[in-house]
């Protein structure tokens, strides 16, 4: 039995076990995917304890993505660029390989839910300047966005993230968000607003062009207030659940040696789990 899992703290809300176990069953593979909740201050000890042992790999979510990269022995360029890992592979020789599939998940979700969207067609706006924002910014730069605009409450943090992008990066304070949104090809909420009840961003999407695609990385609820505003304005939207599914697919392949079977409708399963 191949064992894989997700580590986070908290981890109860994670839909990763639902996705991976449904794929395992549909593929008829002898594997299992479980949730782990290591102590928030000691991911290193947890991961080191799994070296060379029975587990093939882990997805890693908040607050461990930076620690996951730090504990690894080697990392893919995309994990290095994001300065975070959401995927660890425990090799037979006792070493740990770090990867990051969040960028693939983000771009995959756009490709799937906003067909025809082209990152090269205009500036991409990222709300937030934490790890998720950094990863999204790197993915859009890689996909050819002519400009990546970082909007954040603390301007200094936005400047830091934008600076790492080189000439492509621009930083905006929250009260300059209208300026940031004008002409945008896409807007991505990479802040945790929406995770808490009633969490709302102080950003209005009115200044976005009609053709802009609006995405929220938050998937609980599926239609966040941010996406609801976008839909009310008639904008195309991409949801956080699609990103979760599309970062999970390459993770599954890394753990179990084959892509997930297309026959399993994991999105419907996840939606049902969200409703409970
Ligand atoms: O990057 C992903 C991670 O692989 C799994 C996850 C989850 O289970 O909620 C969320 C994202 O951080």
């Amino acid at each position: 039995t191949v064992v894989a899992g997700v580590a986070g703290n908290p981890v109860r809300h994670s839909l990763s076990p639902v996705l991976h176990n449904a794929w395992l069953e549909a593929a008829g593979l002898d594997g299992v995917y479980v949730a782990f909740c290591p102590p928030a201050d000691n991911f290193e000890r947890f991961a080191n304890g799994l070296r060379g042992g029975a587990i093939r790999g882990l997805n890693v979510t908040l607050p461990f993505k930076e620690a996951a990269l730090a504990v690894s022995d080697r990392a893919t360029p995309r994990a290095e660029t994001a300065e975070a890992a959401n995927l660890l592979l425990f090799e037979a020789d006792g070493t740990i390989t770090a990867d990051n599939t969040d960028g693939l998940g983000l771009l995959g979700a756009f490709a799937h839910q906003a067909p025809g969207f082209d990152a090269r067609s205009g500036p991409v706006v990222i709300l937030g300047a934490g790890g998720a924002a950094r990863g999204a910014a790197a993915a859009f730069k890689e996909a050819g966005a002519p400009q990546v605009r970082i909007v954040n409450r603390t301007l200094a943090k936005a400047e830091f993230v934008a600076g790492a992008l080189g000439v492509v990066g621009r930083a905006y304070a929250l009260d300059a968000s209208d300026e940031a949104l004008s002409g945008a090809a896409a807007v991505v909420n990479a802040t945790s607003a929406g995770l808490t009840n009633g969490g709302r961003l102080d950003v209005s999407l009115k200044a976005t062009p009609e053709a802009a695609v609006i995405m929220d990385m938050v998937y609980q609820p599926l239609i966040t207030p941010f996406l609801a505003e976008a839909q009310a304005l008639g904008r195309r939207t991409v949801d956080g659940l699609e990103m979760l599914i599309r970062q999970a697919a390459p993770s599954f392949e890394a753990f179990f040696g084959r892509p997930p079977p297309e026959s399993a409708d994991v999105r419907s399963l996840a939606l049902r789990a969200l409703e409970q």
Side-chain angles (χ1 to χ4, degrees):
T1 305
V2 181
V3 182
V6 55
N9 187 336
V11 79
R12 268 177 59 91
H13 67 280
S14 171
L15 290 177
S16 292
V18 172
L19 304 178
H20 287 271
N21 287 316
W23 280 330
L24 280 168
E25 198 185 321
L29 288 175
D30 182 18
V32 65
Y33 186 100
V34 288
F36 297 93
C37 189
D41 60 355
N42 212 340
F43 182 80
E44 192 184 345
R45 189 175 141 157
F46 168 74
N48 280 330
L50 297 172
R51 281 181 188 270
I55 193 162
R56 173 64 183 120
L58 283 179
N59 281 122
V60 181
T61 189
L62 296 176
F64 299 131
K65 292 188 181 189
E66 286 83 7
L69 179 64
V71 79
S72 69
D73 300 290
R74 72 189 70 74
T76 58
R78 59 194 185 202
E80 299 279 11
T81 307
E83 294 175 47
N86 77 327
L87 176 58
L88 293 181
L89 293 176
F90 294 88
E91 312 293 356
D93 65 1
T95 61
I96 302 176
T97 305
D99 195 0
N100 195 316
T101 62
D102 284 333
L104 286 178
L106 179 67
L107 298 174
F110 268 81
H112 195 72
Q113 291 192 324
F117 169 78
D118 184 353
R120 293 168 300 186
S121 67
V124 173
V125 181
I126 316 277
L127 307 177
R134 222 167 42 220
F140 279 117
K141 179 186 173 183
E142 187 75 5
Q147 197 177 81
V148 178
R149 301 171 173 173
I150 312 293
V151 181
N152 197 52
R153 210 175 293 276
T154 312
L155 181 61
K157 285 191 191 159
E159 282 167 344
F160 181 77
V161 175
L165 297 169
V167 293
V168 170
R170 293 272 184 289
Y172 296 81
L174 206 49
D175 60 13
S177 63
D178 276 3
E179 192 188 331
L181 295 176
S182 76
V187 185
V188 175
N189 174 33
T191 73
S192 54
L195 282 178
T196 52
N197 276 341
R200 249 201 98 94
L201 290 165
D202 305 325
V203 170
S204 159
L205 291 167
K206 286 197 192 75
T208 54
E210 264 172 43
V213 178
I214 315 297
M215 195 257 176
D216 200 330
M217 289 194 183
V218 174
Y219 61 85
Q220 308 196 39
L222 185 69
I223 304 301
T224 59
F226 186 66
L227 289 188
E229 187 196 355
Q231 289 175 355
L233 289 167
R235 308 288 183 264
R236 286 203 292 171
T237 58
V238 175
D239 62 56
L241 179 59
E242 199 59 32
M243 176 171 171
L244 184 79
I245 294 169
R246 301 212 172 250
Q247 65 73 40
S251 303
F252 183 92
E253 185 162 2
F255 299 144
F256 304 110
R258 54 155 290 179
E262 301 205 348
S263 60
D265 182 6
V266 290
R267 187 173 165 95
S268 299
L269 270 179
L271 284 173
R272 242 173 286 150
L274 277 180
E275 279 162 15
Q276 279 165 12

